[in-house]
Amino acid sequence: MKTDAINLVRQARSGEPTAARVPDIADEAKRDVVRAREDAVREQRNARHRLKVLPSCNAYAAAHSVACLFLASLHRLAFATYDVVLIGLT
């Protein structure tokens, strides 16, 4: 919506006649989905870049690097699983 408003102001300043259409709820929902997808793709790309920065843990580095020792400790973690019962959702 912000870009729509900016475009309308630019056109009004230049003296061009503009027709403005107010999007209905369905159009706004579609725009929200597109924006959410763009955000998710951007976050996925950023996460991929962050993973590339992690060191490769070969045999020497695994024994000496703090980061590799930390990653190895994460792999050894075990989490308890719980059965979740949803009550009253009918």
Side-chain angles (χ1 to χ4, degrees), residues 7 9 11 14-15 18 23 29 38 41 43 49-51 60 70 77 79 85:
N7 287 334
V9 169
Q11 291 173 354
S14 67
T18 59
E38 289 172 349
V41 168
E43 285 301 317
H49 290 301
R50 285 191 297 270
L51 286 175
Y60 178 80
F70 175 70
L77 286 179
F79 295 98
V85 179

Side-chain angles (χ1 to χ4, degrees), residues 3-20:
T3 57
D4 294 339
I6 291 171
N7 287 334
L8 285 173
V9 169
R10 283 183 185 154
Q11 291 173 354
R13 285 183 182 170
S14 67
E16 296 177 16
T18 59

Side-chain angles (χ1 to χ4, degrees), residues 3-86:
T3 57
D4 294 339
I6 291 171
N7 287 334
L8 285 173
V9 169
R10 283 183 185 154
Q11 291 173 354
R13 285 183 182 170
S14 67
E16 296 177 16
T18 59
R21 184 181 73 86
V22 177
D24 59 350
I25 295 173
D27 288 337
E28 281 300 318
K30 290 174 192 174
R31 288 180 176 190
D32 288 341
V33 169
V34 169
R35 287 185 198 113
R37 183 186 178 284
E38 289 172 349
D39 290 343
V41 168
R42 186 180 314 109
E43 285 301 317
Q44 182 183 27
R45 184 182 61 241
N46 291 342
R48 242 187 245 129
H49 290 301
R50 285 191 297 270
L51 286 175
K52 287 182 182 179
V53 173
L54 288 177
S56 61
C57 295
N58 56 23
Y60 178 80
H64 297 88
S65 169
V66 175
C68 290
L69 293 173
F70 175 70
L71 290 174
S73 68
L74 286 181
H75 288 291
R76 288 191 300 267
L77 286 179
F79 295 98
T81 59
Y82 298 99
D83 293 330
V84 177
V85 179
L86 300 176

